[in-house]
Amino acid sequence: MEAAIQKEIQTTGVQMIAVTKDWLKDFGIQIAKQTRQELEDELRMNREEDLIPRNTTIERLNVDPSTLWRWEKQKYLLPVRIGGKVYYRKSDIDNLINGGR
């Protein structure tokens, strides 16, 4: 049987890897832990910097909502999305108000 598998691999170019269910479970847990840590790090970084809600940003900059959309597409002012809500970094807004980019 092993010879038949080897022949199939050679003719089709398909390779097979056997793993145990325990290994696969451990691998999944490892990926979940790593992803969770990355998300926690990002949230911690965002918490450390003041975030301004979208509507407040519109008022502070005295712009139309479509302007924020356009600036995002141009990578001029990038939003931070948390739980379906849109925020902007206070430092980015202050830079725009003070003439920087």
Side-chain angles (χ1 to χ4, degrees), residues 39-98:
L39 288 172
E40 286 176 351
D41 291 346
E42 184 176 340
L43 285 173
R44 192 175 305 110
M45 182 184 76
N46 287 334
R47 270 191 235 124
E48 290 173 1
E49 183 170 0
D50 292 332
L51 297 177
I52 309 298
R54 183 174 181 267
N55 288 338
T56 305
T57 301
I58 290 169
E59 291 172 12
R60 280 194 182 181
L61 295 175
N62 194 29
V63 296
D64 189 77
S66 63
T67 301
L68 289 182
W69 177 84
R70 189 177 71 251
W71 285 351
E72 178 183 355
K73 297 303 173 201
Q74 296 171 342
K75 298 190 184 325
Y76 184 72
L77 180 63
L78 297 174
V80 175
R81 290 183 169 83
I82 300 175
K85 297 188 181 196
V86 179
Y87 301 91
Y88 293 87
R89 289 179 180 86
K90 183 180 182 302
S91 60
D92 291 344
I93 294 168
D94 291 343
N95 284 338
L96 284 176
I97 292 172
N98 295 324

